[in-house]
Amino acid sequence: MRSRPLFVVAGAAALVLALVGCGSSPGSSQTKAALEFQTGQSVDSVFLKQLTTITKKFESANPGITVDLRPSTSSYESDIKVRLASGNVPDIWWTHGWSLLRYSKFLVPLQDEAWAKDFNPALAPAMKNSQGQFFAFPVDTDVAGIIYNKDVLAASGVSVAGLTTWDAFGAAAEKIAATGIAPITVSGKANGPAGNLADWIASGAYSKSELAELSNGTFVDAPYTHVLDLIAAWKKESLFNPDYVSATSDDMSRALATGKAAFAFSQNTTAGDALQYNPKANLGYFPVPSLTGGKPYLIGGEMNAFGISKTSRHLKDAKAFIAYLAKPANATLLAKAAGSIPGLTNVTPDLGALQASYDSVVKPGKYPLVPYFDRVYLPNGMWNTMVTTADSVVTGGNSKVAEGVSTMSKDFARLDAQNK
């Protein structure tokens, strides 16, 4: 499954395999509590910078507690899996969309916390179980489309209103490429952006009956072939950034900010990061076209959310820290840094450059909000397969499509059997 950073930077920081702090039993408090927080955020992200500022204020107000903010590595998801399997669990970690389905058995339920009364009900299907429990503090409600640079499109004579089919998108991308600008920016170095290409497209590639087959444990090849065929066609037309292999997630943001790229398949944090490089960047997002000929759609669910390990030796202190993050003033700053709708209803939306897109695309409710494809229809562990197979097509083109589909099918069967 997909880990969003998605905003990960290869080699950003190595995970330390020893728990920070010690204690005699879970939940006990020490004179000096040291909380290990695996943030899942890249070293240079706006989000981590804002989180760092808020954390320092918390530590000043709570001198008995320190919070060790760990940036993400390029293998965040697999690293967390190893930590959980070994019992060497961080006090707090970024659940990257899986607080309920994957991590809930490792996390403390949070629905009884004082701030929980303001939990955004839009997140309930993704984050609450049948008993009404949820297991992570939701910073934001993820609503994503295709991010674009409005000025690049305008200079190329492309109207975003017309990008309702993949044929129209491809024609627009070729028009942009003719001006010398990379139509689609993707990071081949980070573990995520290539997978996002496939994930965004796959959400609209399957019919209802085919999705039912996936849910029942049968991988359906033909729609996924169409997904990789589309990526291969973009490769053939040279629609990706030439530095794909070496490009980082930050390079994606920089290219969008400086007008060196037109489109990015990514969460809105990428747009927020872009504003670091050019605060005046004219950015927005639009719904994703459907491969089946259906209506364009938005993608959503849990995004930036932080859970507390049920085996933490500092449960009280960890809950105090999360409660501090959930204060309206702090939660507003974090949601703004993420560039997304707040995960709490008492937080004021402040989407900055993306406010216009929210007002025109999301708020009217004209477009369906679908879940991320891999989170619902693929077995646990397949995100890396999505990344590697999409990456092989971005670099190798059409010759890698059949191999990629075969790998997806085999891994689906293997991991579906393991997860039963």
Side-chain angles (χ1 to χ4, degrees):
M1 139 47 216
R2 158 165 90 163
S3 58
R4 279 186 194 69
L6 309 171
F7 328 121
V8 296
V9 175
L15 287 173
V16 176
L17 295 180
L19 278 173
V20 178
C22 59
S24 58
S25 63
S28 65
S29 185
Q30 308 269 318
T31 301
K32 187 74 171 180
L35 303 175
E36 180 191 353
F37 183 1
Q38 293 291 342
T39 67
Q41 311 300 316
S42 68
V43 138
D44 297 322
S45 70
V46 171
F47 190 96
L48 184 56
K49 290 178 180 178
Q50 186 61 260
L51 182 60
T52 300
T53 298
I54 294 171
T55 299
K56 287 179 179 178
K57 292 180 180 179
F58 171 80
E59 291 175 331
S60 294
N62 298 271
I65 307 173
T66 62
V67 183
D68 183 9
L69 299 178
R70 307 282 181 86
S72 183
T73 68
S74 60
S75 55
Y76 178 84
E77 181 181 3
S78 59
D79 290 334
I80 289 295
K81 285 182 180 179
V82 170
R83 298 285 300 269
L84 295 177
S86 67
N88 180 22
V89 186
D91 295 284
I92 304 169
W93 75 89
W94 180 63
T95 54
H96 60 95
W98 289 88
S99 63
L100 177 61
L101 296 179
R102 181 180 297 178
Y103 297 131
S104 58
K105 64 182 178 181
F106 301 101
L107 296 170
V108 176
L110 298 175
Q111 71 280 350
D112 294 328
E113 298 301 301
W115 53 265
K117 67 183 187 302
D118 298 306
F119 181 92
N120 191 332
L123 289 169
M127 295 186 70
K128 283 189 175 183
N129 64 17
S130 58
Q131 288 77 48
Q133 295 176 311
F134 64 90
F135 300 85
F137 158 59
V139 173
D140 55 348
T141 306
D142 188 15
V143 178
I146 299 175
I147 301 172
Y148 70 106
N149 184 304
K150 296 179 181 180
D151 293 335
V152 169
L153 266 62
S156 303
V158 173
S159 170
V160 73
L163 304 183
T164 58
T165 68
W166 286 121
D167 284 343
F169 178 86
E174 290 180 29
K175 194 171 182 180
I176 291 166
T179 70
I181 293 172
I184 307 170
T185 178
V186 192
S187 165
K189 195 170 184 180
N191 182 34
N196 282 352
L197 286 172
D199 215 26
W200 263 234
I201 301 166
S203 290
Y206 285 77
S207 66
K208 289 184 178 179
S209 62
E210 289 166 339
L211 291 175
E213 288 187 66
L214 290 172
S215 297
N216 290 328
T218 300
F219 187 75
V220 187
D221 288 3
Y224 210 82
T225 300
H226 294 156
V227 171
L228 295 187
D229 277 342
L230 185 58
I231 296 173
W234 295 343
K235 162 69 175 178
K236 183 179 179 180
E237 298 300 328
S238 300
L239 301 184
F240 297 113
N241 46 305
D243 65 341
Y244 165 78
V245 173
S246 62
T248 65
S249 295
D250 286 334
D251 290 331
M252 291 175 60
S253 296
R254 186 182 292 106
L256 279 172
T258 58
K260 294 182 179 179
F263 304 111
F265 291 64
S266 180
Q267 287 79 19
N268 295 332
T269 306
T270 296
D273 291 344
L275 296 174
Q276 289 187 99
Y277 302 107
N278 179 13
K280 295 183 179 180
N282 195 8
L283 306 178
Y285 58 89
F286 61 94
V288 183
S290 172
L291 262 182
T292 62
K295 193 171 185 178
Y297 53 88
L298 296 162
I299 304 173
E302 174 189 337
M303 183 51 200
N304 289 294
F306 305 128
I308 301 172
S309 169
K310 63 170 58 175
T311 61
S312 172
R313 299 177 186 275
H314 309 292
L315 289 180
K316 181 179 178 182
D317 299 313
K319 285 185 176 183
F321 175 63
I322 292 297
Y324 189 81
L325 297 183
K327 287 180 177 291
N330 294 329
T332 295
L333 293 172
L334 290 173
K336 180 179 180 180
S340 298
I341 306 164
L344 299 180
T345 56
N346 64 337
V347 176
T348 304
D350 185 357
L351 305 180
L354 298 181
Q355 188 69 47
S357 290
Y358 171 76
D359 290 340
S360 63
V361 174
V362 180
K363 197 171 182 179
K366 295 187 298 182
Y367 300 100
L369 182 66
V370 303
Y372 288 102
F373 177 75
D374 66 293
R375 293 187 190 176
V376 176
Y377 299 109
L378 298 182
N380 184 5
M382 279 205 69
W383 173 241
N384 285 337
T385 306
M386 288 193 76
V387 173
T388 57
T389 53
D391 171 79
S392 70
V393 175
V394 174
T395 55
N398 190 64
S399 65
K400 296 295 183 179
V401 170
E403 179 183 333
V405 174
S406 176
T407 299
M408 287 287 293
S409 181
K410 291 176 182 177
D411 281 5
F412 184 99
R414 175 177 59 84
L415 292 168
D416 184 66
Q418 288 180 6
N419 291 329
K420 286 181 177 177

